[in-house]
């Protein structure tokens, strides 16, 4: 990810990372079988990045307008505690979570791809648009990923946060032992 110095400065303050799901943690496609069961594909690199954030003390969550059992299973697997599905008002959820965690808006990052994410993106400390985000969303983001949603974009955000907060050396030395 090519992040400006301003975006890196914002990233240094982040304690909570929130992701949209469809188009961010997935490529946005929804697969349905003949019985209507929904399937989503998640990127393992994104999952590993989320696990690293959790390991190094970040709060991580998802806020999505849709509800999906596959998302529920994936978040349980990653041990993500803050999972909000079927949200009509993402900003209200964002405010409630900040209050519960005793954080301010500048300590939160949000990764989005579509106009429904803008309420949060325009108020959080670090707004990230994935490469395949709607053009209007990109205009309101502090930085943009190189990869598209579902293709490693979330991992880029995780790496940016770990790097700007001086944790990447620990990550690398821990994994090289």
């Amino acid at each position: 990810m090519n992040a400006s110095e301003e975006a890196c400065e914002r990233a240094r303050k982040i304690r909570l990372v929130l992701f949209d799901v469809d188009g961010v943690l997935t490529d946005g496609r929804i697969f349905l079988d003949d019985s209507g069961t929904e399937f989503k594909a998640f990127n393992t690199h994104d999952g590993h990045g989320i696990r690293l954030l959790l390991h190094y003390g970040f709060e991580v969550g998802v806020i999505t307008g849709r509800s999906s059992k596959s998302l529920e299973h994936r978040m349980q697997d990653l041990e993500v505690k803050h999972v909000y599905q079927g949200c009509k008002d993402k900003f209200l959820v964002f405010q409630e979570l900040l209050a519960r965690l005793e954080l301010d808006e500048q300590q939160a990052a949000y990764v989005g791809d579509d106009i429904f994410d803008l309420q949060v993106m325009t108020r959080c400390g670090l707004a990230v648009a994935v490469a395949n985000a709607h053009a209007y969303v990109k205009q309101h983001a502090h930085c943009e990923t190189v990869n598209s949603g579902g293709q490693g974009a979330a991992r880029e955000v995780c790496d940016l946060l770990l790097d700007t907060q001086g944790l990447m050396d620990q990550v690398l030395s821990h994994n090289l032992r």
Side-chain angles (χ1 to χ4, degrees):
M1 175 184 317
N2 293 323
S4 67
E5 185 53 43
E6 177 198 356
C8 289
E9 186 60 37
R10 289 173 172 275
R12 289 182 188 98
K13 300 174 187 172
I14 300 304
R15 300 306 317 138
L16 168 66
V17 187
L18 297 168
F19 298 93
D20 178 36
V21 177
D22 296 314
V24 173
L25 292 180
T26 74
D27 66 7
R29 295 183 296 166
I30 298 169
F31 298 93
L32 299 171
D33 69 11
D34 290 341
S35 67
T37 303
E38 184 175 302
F39 299 91
K40 298 179 187 282
F42 297 95
N43 187 297
T44 59
H45 292 177
D46 291 344
H48 188 68
I50 289 170
R51 284 183 192 272
L52 287 170
L53 288 180
L54 291 167
H55 177 78
Y56 286 97
F58 290 84
E59 296 284 346
V60 178
V62 296
I63 304 176
T64 179
R66 295 181 55 84
S67 294
S68 163
K69 285 285 189 192
S70 58
L71 174 64
E72 186 179 314
H73 292 298
R74 181 63 175 148
M75 293 302 106
Q76 285 175 353
D77 180 53
L78 294 174
E79 300 179 3
V80 172
K81 298 182 294 190
H82 310 293
V83 179
Y84 302 92
Q85 298 195 67
C87 296
K88 301 299 180 219
D89 187 342
K90 292 183 178 188
F91 186 67
L92 179 62
V93 171
F94 174 66
Q95 289 179 308
E96 290 172 356
L97 184 57
L98 288 177
R100 186 160 15 106
L101 297 173
E102 299 179 353
L103 297 172
D104 65 47
E105 292 176 346
Q106 296 308 303
Q107 293 175 291
Y110 189 89
V111 187
D113 73 316
D114 213 333
I115 57 173
F116 300 108
D117 300 314
L118 285 174
Q119 277 187 310
V120 178
M121 291 178 74
T122 57
R123 295 288 296 275
C124 68
L126 178 65
V128 182
V130 295
N132 58 319
H134 187 282
Y136 196 69
V137 172
K138 290 180 180 183
Q139 291 174 12
H140 289 82
H142 298 114
C143 56
E144 181 181 329
T145 64
V146 173
N147 292 312
S148 294
Q151 303 297 315
R155 178 58 180 270
E156 288 182 57
V157 176
C158 298
D159 288 350
L160 172 69
L161 294 170
L162 293 165
D163 190 39
T164 58
Q165 295 193 22
L167 297 167
M168 192 55 82
D169 288 340
Q170 292 177 47
V171 171
L172 294 173
S173 66
H174 177 76
N175 287 316
L176 295 176
R177 283 190 220 158

